[in-house]
Amino acid sequence: MCGRYQLTARYEEIEEAFDAEGEVDFAPRYNIAPTQWAPVVRQGLSRRRLTPLRWGLVPHWAPDTSRAGRMINARGETITKKPSFREAIQRRRCLVPATGFYEWARAGKVKQPYLITLRQTTVFGMAGVWERWDGPDGPMETFTVITVDPRGALSLHDRMPVILAPEAYTDWLDPRSGPQTILDLLRPREARELALTAVSDRVNSVAHDDPGCAVPVAVQPSLF
């Protein structure tokens, strides 16, 4: 599962990492939580666009937004079969910029948060899909992050977000990419590519969104 993540890079770094043009500026975020607004990258007519969308997918046919908080992730293994995602994976794919994501490991009675980052890259793109929902107050665009079985790469949780390599961004965003091309990209990163850091439990509260959420703490057992 990916239930919290961060995007602390400078705006210019994000634009450069994804070769995207932004519509609005984004302040550094240390604790992005479900139902909050965050930037995603989509393919525009001439170039990639960086746009704020709401985290928690609302299918275009949904009667309301009540289930959005439970639609923050989509399982890569079944995404082409689930009614909520099967149209979006074909036509509305996006990249979700991040500098790290959080998972929790139980240590006795306490759940210790960990920040997971890439060792060689500061900003990376998580695979996502998006939808447009036309509600009574106007249209709302939402997204979800695709997850897969980590297969030993990450022992904190039985799911992890798909982190795409930069050379895969074009195929992922291209609406002409075939189903097999897309499914082949839905795989976990290897353990050697990931770095885990035990961090402050300040991140546990969605009310906190500051550098204190990512402050390292001493407890860090080997979890690979």
Side-chain angles (χ1 to χ4, degrees), residues 34-216:
T35 74
Q36 294 180 353
W37 294 81
V40 304
V41 177
R42 298 183 290 185
Q43 185 60 55
L45 292 176
S46 58
R47 64 174 305 183
R48 297 170 187 167
R49 303 291 298 174
L50 194 59
T51 313
L53 272 63
R54 190 173 184 259
W55 188 17
L57 189 131
V58 180
H60 64 85
W61 44 260
D64 54 46
T65 64
S66 60
R67 296 191 61 189
R70 290 180 285 175
M71 302 279 280
I72 61 171
N73 292 160
R75 296 175 69 92
E77 299 86 347
T78 59
I79 194 169
T80 60
K81 301 179 177 66
K82 296 292 184 179
S84 297
F85 308 118
R86 63 189 178 198
E87 186 177 329
I89 189 62
Q90 295 174 13
R91 304 180 182 180
R92 291 180 287 277
R93 295 183 295 274
C94 63
L95 296 166
V96 182
T99 49
F101 65 96
Y102 298 98
E103 291 293 356
W104 282 256
R106 186 170 293 281
K109 297 181 179 180
V110 177
K111 292 186 74 174
Q112 173 63 52
Y114 284 79
L115 174 64
I116 298 94
T117 56
L118 286 185
R119 294 185 184 277
Q120 301 298 324
T121 306
T122 301
V123 185
F124 54 83
M126 300 186 291
V129 296
W130 66 276
E131 274 282 10
R132 176 189 171 109
W133 182 76
D134 291 314
D137 298 323
M140 180 172 65
E141 293 182 327
T142 62
F143 73 95
T144 191
V145 174
I146 301 174
T147 66
V148 290
D149 184 338
R151 300 177 211 164
L154 184 67
S155 58
L156 289 170
H157 200 276
D158 61 356
R159 308 296 297 173
M160 71 174 294
V162 174
I163 301 173
L164 296 171
E167 56 267 27
Y169 292 169
T170 297
D171 282 344
W172 181 255
L173 294 175
D174 190 342
R176 299 167 297 181
S177 293
Q180 195 56 53
T181 297
I182 295 306
L183 292 176
D184 286 346
L185 295 175
L186 300 182
R187 56 180 182 267
R189 285 299 187 100
E190 296 182 17
R192 59 183 174 80
E193 300 178 275
L194 305 174
L196 275 70
T197 305
V199 295
S200 166
D201 61 6
R202 184 173 176 79
V203 74
N204 293 352
S205 172
V206 297
H208 300 149
D209 187 3
D210 53 62
C213 293
V215 170

